[in-house]
């Protein structure tokens, strides 16, 4: 009887602490790392496709966390907690103080998460701190590497997969923009170091990655992001051209950060309208337009170069780099 009680206690601990999910590897000597982005790179590289560094510049990093097949009625803060945990762990190791921004407090309040002691702990900490300390999402101060997460953009490239029990299952991303006080040393992405994507890119051609049939495939955001990962993993440079870039090729890192900024502005405008009692609801934010050209440029390996033409619901592959 005592054994049965012990087993039930252990099971309850796992359920309520959220430990049923796979654990990420711990990072040694965090205090020796140069930046928060480098910490994520070391800790999350084997989670590519779920938790990615998708764009970096000298002072900015864009995180993408992918949410798969989530019922609309039970959206929670699981991925937000991952970002909070990473920021808190790194900031603490650097001797800093973590300040919760109004954005993170609002996100936690709006995304109730069952069976998670972590969620309850963060909510309690945020209630003790209160609003008004930082306009953005989160900030690390008085550390060896000060940084801030300026904002979180929700419902990026939302698609409704299928209906179940009268509700929709959604797949979408959340974007988090990080501002670094110190310049970043290099332009590394999580999938460039992850064993999972390394084997994937090594063993498959771009045609297999895109699941092409007769050089065309249905358009999906994941197809573009997969081509981007494949291109950069093999040493290429990924570019995009559309009406947003004024039909001139733009480096994908700069483009994604620019788009995230625009998405956040729309989000803030909608929030302000709601405060004024006006109706406003953003169903989803779209990274690309209805007509884009995507280029993989690889001067050191021209066999890896390709062009993708996106028009509405189709994506056409060309086994060559078109002239810009």
């Amino acid at each position: 009887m005592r054994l049965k009680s012990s087993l039930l206690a252990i099971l309850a601990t796992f359920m309520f602490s959220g430990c049923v999910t796979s654990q990420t590897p711990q990072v040694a000597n965090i205090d020796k790392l140069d930046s928060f982005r480098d910490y994520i790179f070391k800790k999350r590289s084997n989670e590519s496709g779920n938790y990615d560094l998708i764009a970096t510049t000298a002072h900015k990093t864009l995180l993408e966390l992918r949410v798969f097949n989530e019922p609309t009625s039970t959206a929670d803060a699981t991925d937000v907690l991952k970002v909070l945990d990473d920021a808190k762990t790194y900031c603490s190791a650097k001797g800093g103080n973590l300040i919760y921004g109004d954005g993170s407090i609002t996100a936690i309040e709006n995304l109730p998460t069952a069976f998670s002691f972590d969620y309850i702990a963060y909510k309690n900490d945020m209630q003790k701190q209160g609003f008004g300390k930082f306009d953005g999402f989160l900030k690390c101060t008085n550390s060896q590497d000060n940084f801030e997460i300026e904002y979180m953009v929700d419902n990026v490239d939302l698609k409704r997969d299928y209906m179940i029990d009268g509700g929709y299952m959604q797949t979408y991303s959340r974007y988090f923009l990080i501002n670094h006080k110190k310049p970043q040393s290099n332009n590394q992405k999580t999938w460039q170091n992850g064993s999972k994507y390394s084997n994937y890119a090594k063993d498959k051609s771009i045609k297999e990655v895109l699941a092409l049939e007769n050089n065309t495939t249905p358009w999906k955001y994941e197809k573009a992001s997969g081509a981007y990962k494949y291109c950069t993993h093999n040493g290429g440079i990924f570019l995009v051209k559309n009406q947003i870039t004024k039909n001139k090729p733009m480096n994908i890192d700069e483009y994604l950060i620019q788009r995230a900024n625009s998405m956040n502005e729309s989000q803030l405008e909608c929030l302000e309208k709601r405060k004024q009692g006006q109706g406003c609801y953003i169903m989803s934010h779209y990274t690309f337009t209805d007509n884009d050209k995507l280029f993989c440029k690889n001067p050191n390996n021209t066999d890896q170069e390709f062009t993708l033409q996106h028009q509405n619901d189709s994506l056409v592959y060309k086994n060559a780099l078109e002239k810009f």
Side-chain angles (χ1 to χ4, degrees):
M1 194 71 175
R2 184 178 297 173
L3 177 60
K4 183 178 181 181
S5 299
S6 299
L7 289 172
L8 288 172
I10 293 170
L11 178 60
T13 300
F14 272 84
M15 284 178 62
F16 285 94
S17 63
C19 292
V20 292
T21 56
S22 60
Q23 297 298 301
T24 53
Q26 298 304 306
V27 178
N29 301 318
I30 300 174
D31 58 316
K32 300 292 194 277
L33 297 175
D34 289 332
S35 78
F36 179 46
R37 187 206 62 188
D38 292 348
Y39 171 70
I40 295 173
F41 178 76
K42 284 187 172 293
K43 184 178 181 181
R44 301 292 185 179
S45 286
N46 280 325
E47 295 182 50
S48 184
N50 298 296
Y51 189 131
D52 283 324
L53 297 168
I54 60 165
T56 61
T57 61
H59 290 278
K60 294 183 182 295
T61 296
L62 188 63
L63 288 183
E64 178 183 18
L65 272 78
R66 201 74 172 158
V67 178
F68 294 94
N69 297 333
E70 179 184 76
T72 56
S73 58
T74 59
D76 63 29
T78 302
D79 62 320
V80 179
L81 294 178
K82 280 188 175 184
V83 176
L84 291 175
D85 282 344
D86 287 350
K88 185 176 182 179
T89 301
Y90 178 78
C91 184
S92 177
K94 288 292 188 177
N97 300 317
L98 200 71
I99 298 173
Y100 300 112
D102 292 352
S104 62
I105 298 174
T106 300
I108 291 295
E109 287 184 346
N110 292 338
L111 295 167
T113 305
F115 309 128
S116 173
F117 284 138
D118 288 340
Y119 174 82
I120 295 170
Y122 275 115
K123 190 167 184 177
N124 288 338
D125 284 348
M126 290 174 175
Q127 287 176 342
K128 289 177 183 177
Q129 177 196 284
F131 285 95
K133 300 294 184 181
F134 175 51
D135 289 340
F137 194 83
L138 181 147
K139 180 184 286 189
C140 178
T141 62
N142 301 321
S143 80
Q144 301 171 38
D145 178 32
N146 291 343
F147 66 90
E148 67 180 37
I149 302 179
E150 185 178 338
Y151 57 72
M152 176 189 80
V153 179
D154 215 346
N155 291 344
V156 179
D157 281 278
L158 173 66
K159 65 182 179 65
R160 290 178 168 176
D161 286 338
Y162 51 84
M163 289 188 69
I164 182 170
D165 294 333
Y168 282 106
M169 300 287 282
Q170 298 177 331
T171 293
Y172 63 94
S173 288
R174 289 188 173 113
Y175 280 174
F176 298 80
L177 184 76
I178 305 167
N179 293 322
H180 305 272
K181 188 171 183 180
K182 295 194 304 185
Q184 306 302 291
S185 56
N186 51 49
N187 188 18
Q188 56 190 7
K189 307 291 196 315
T190 37
W191 60 83
Q192 293 172 321
N193 193 49
S195 58
K196 176 181 177 181
Y197 200 85
S198 175
N199 294 332
Y200 186 68
K202 178 182 178 181
D203 298 335
K204 293 192 175 184
S205 68
I206 183 61
K207 283 190 174 185
E208 291 174 301
V209 170
L210 297 179
L212 286 165
E213 294 181 8
N214 299 321
N215 289 337
T216 64
T217 184
W219 165 258
K220 285 186 179 179
Y221 169 71
E222 291 90 340
K223 299 289 186 184
S225 60
Y228 169 30
K229 292 174 184 179
Y230 184 91
C231 178
T232 54
H233 183 86
N234 287 293
I237 299 170
F238 206 67
L239 305 164
V240 59
K241 182 174 76 170
N242 57 26
Q243 62 188 34
I244 295 171
T245 70
K246 298 180 180 178
N247 288 314
K248 294 181 180 179
M250 178 183 287
N251 183 282
I252 193 68
D253 293 79
E254 297 173 9
Y255 176 80
L256 289 171
I257 290 173
Q258 177 181 305
R259 289 295 298 134
N261 287 336
S262 297
M263 293 173 191
N264 185 54
E265 288 174 8
S266 298
Q267 199 165 250
L268 292 174
E269 289 172 2
C270 193
L271 181 62
E272 189 59 34
K273 287 182 179 179
R274 289 176 188 167
K275 288 180 180 178
Q276 296 173 5
Q278 302 178 36
C280 182
Y281 180 70
I282 299 176
M283 185 63 186
S284 61
H285 297 282
Y286 293 101
T287 308
F288 298 101
T289 67
D290 289 335
N291 190 348
D292 311 281
K293 274 198 175 180
L294 308 166
F295 308 93
C296 179
K297 183 179 180 181
N298 196 336
N300 296 322
N301 189 353
T302 55
D303 289 340
Q304 295 283 356
E305 294 183 329
F306 60 86
T307 302
L308 299 175
Q309 173 71 57
H310 165 221
Q311 288 184 321
N312 299 316
D313 295 329
S314 67
L315 188 66
V316 178
Y317 163 80
K318 295 182 180 180
N319 185 24
L321 184 65
E322 284 192 4
K323 291 183 180 180
F324 299 150

